[in-house]
Amino acid sequence: MPSSSSHNPYASTYERMSGNCTRLVAAHIVSTISPPITSSSYILDSACGTGIVSEQIKIQHPNARIMATDLSPAMIEETQRRIETEGWTNMQTDILDVRSLSTLPDSTFTHVIINMGLLAPGDPESGTKVTREVFRVLKPGGVAVLSIWADRVWPTAFFNAARGVRPHERPQHGMAQSPDVMRGSWLLKQLEDAGFGNNVELRPFRTHTSAGSLEELVDNMMLAKGFFFAGYSDEELGRAKELLEAEARKLRTFEEGEGGVRIGMKALIGVGWKRDDGQGEQEGVEVGVNTREGMVDLLAPSTSTLPIGSRSEV
């Protein structure tokens, strides 16, 4: 799979910062989605970013019909470039806010996928807005799959590095999220209240950010320095980077092997099915976990299988 690194600096930064973690989630979503993608499916890849979900769909279903949307023109530009260079067919793009899919008609898509795009910075109601739009554009009988982070782990290394450089200041966190929006109960409520009722399921998934070496991993992490080290001098940034390497190694999910290094992370995947019998949320269907109590059975999450340090595109 061709790399995007030489074409769009913003998209390139996103790919390096993620270290494959969102790609692993996307691959799992696409390979396990039910009902499965078929030749008659029409899929919305909303908040598509650099086209990672669409990429995974095209790997597994080359002829699938996809609409990829994102609020960022840079991301849509990168996705469009990939369509052209990688020869993806039967695919469209549009610049749309995931919270307001204003140009998309009701009941259009058989599948809607949003991978880590549910939360909009500065908008505490984004979850409600997004899931309502998802339900609106989904066809009866269709399925929506949305992922969020439950535990990113690596911000702890930034906090400790910041404390080492500026011990009397509270560490910055430009990527901060309320603990509430990293809980499965929150994700289930968004789907239930949007119209899916109790036709929902929650799945945990373990993924990781990886690199060929610890030095490369820290270089990639430092691309997020503006969120944690804003206003630091060059000297302070140098010290912060040295400390970040040491702190990354201390993280509880850090692993090092012959192929490289990685930091484990935990995602939550929410699934909602839109009933096609006109009864909405009045009656549930037997589709996995659909109650708060059922969440206690989710203590053995799915695990990604990408080898440590692999740069695989899958």
Side-chain angles (χ1 to χ4, degrees):
M1 195 69 62
S3 170
S4 62
S5 60
S6 62
H7 296 270
N8 189 307
Y10 181 43
S12 171
T13 297
Y14 177 87
E15 290 273 358
R16 287 183 58 195
M17 284 173 59
S18 72
N20 263 333
C21 63
T22 57
R23 178 169 280 110
L24 292 167
V25 179
H28 177 75
I29 288 172
V30 173
S31 64
T32 60
I33 199 165
S34 179
I37 294 169
T38 67
S39 59
S40 62
S41 299
Y42 187 15
I43 307 123
L44 174 62
D45 176 8
S46 188
C48 67
T50 60
I52 290 174
V53 167
S54 292
E55 165 200 283
Q56 293 302 314
I57 295 171
K58 288 301 181 182
I59 288 173
Q60 300 181 41
H61 308 279
N63 299 318
R65 185 185 179 197
I66 304 172
M67 167 65 78
T69 63
D70 199 283
L71 184 59
S72 166
M75 292 299 191
I76 290 298
E77 178 185 346
E78 173 63 12
T79 300
Q80 189 62 46
R81 185 197 67 78
R82 297 192 68 189
I83 291 172
E84 297 168 0
T85 60
E86 301 182 28
W88 295 343
T89 59
N90 211 16
M91 192 164 169
Q92 300 168 285
T93 62
D94 200 357
I95 299 172
L96 285 174
D97 190 331
V98 67
R99 297 165 293 181
S100 178
L101 304 171
S102 55
T103 63
L104 302 180
D106 295 357
S107 304
T108 298
F109 301 95
T110 59
H111 302 73
V112 178
I113 301 174
I114 302 178
N115 191 25
M116 304 301 171
L118 187 56
L119 300 172
D123 185 357
E125 300 301 317
S126 66
T128 298
K129 296 173 184 175
V130 171
T131 49
R132 285 179 178 172
E133 281 292 82
V134 166
F135 188 82
R136 179 183 68 80
V137 301
L138 189 65
K139 283 185 175 182
V143 60
V145 186
L146 295 76
S147 63
I148 62 171
W149 289 119
D151 191 353
R152 290 179 290 186
V153 179
W154 54 263
T156 299
F158 277 97
F159 299 155
N160 291 338
R163 291 188 183 101
V165 177
R166 295 185 175 183
H168 303 297
E169 288 188 12
R170 182 177 180 179
Q172 303 169 25
H173 192 353
M175 294 183 178
Q177 294 179 349
S178 165
D180 289 342
V181 302
M182 301 179 79
R183 295 188 176 121
S185 56
W186 179 86
L187 180 55
L188 282 176
K189 181 172 174 53
Q190 306 310 302
L191 290 167
E192 290 167 352
D193 292 352
F196 292 100
N198 60 355
N199 303 307
V200 297
E201 177 177 308
L202 183 70
R203 305 169 183 164
F205 182 74
R206 285 178 179 164
T207 183
H208 54 259
T209 180
S210 61
S213 66
L214 180 57
E215 181 181 7
E216 180 186 349
L217 182 67
V218 171
D219 283 343
N220 293 344
M221 292 173 68
M222 282 297 290
L223 293 171
K225 62 179 181 287
F227 295 100
F228 299 93
F229 305 138
Y232 279 36
S233 66
D234 290 343
E235 180 183 355
E236 287 178 315
L237 286 174
R239 289 170 56 203
K241 184 178 180 180
E242 291 178 2
L243 290 169
L244 188 61
E245 182 170 333
E247 293 298 332
R249 189 180 288 277
K250 296 177 186 177
L251 292 172
R252 69 184 187 279
T253 61
F254 177 83
E255 294 180 89
E256 187 168 13
E258 291 183 4
V261 299
R262 68 184 184 187
I263 297 170
M265 307 162 71
K266 183 178 179 180
L268 292 173
I269 298 172
V271 186
W273 288 267
K274 186 173 182 178
R275 294 187 59 147
D276 60 0
D277 58 5
Q279 295 188 38
E281 59 183 80
Q282 293 177 14
E283 296 183 28
V285 293
E286 297 299 325
V287 287
V289 178
N290 55 18
T291 65
R292 296 289 181 271
E293 292 78 13
M295 290 173 61
V296 300
D297 297 326
L298 297 175
L299 298 179
S302 303
T303 305
S304 55
T305 58
L306 189 72
I308 293 178
S310 170
R311 305 306 294 169
S312 166
E313 294 295 316
V314 299

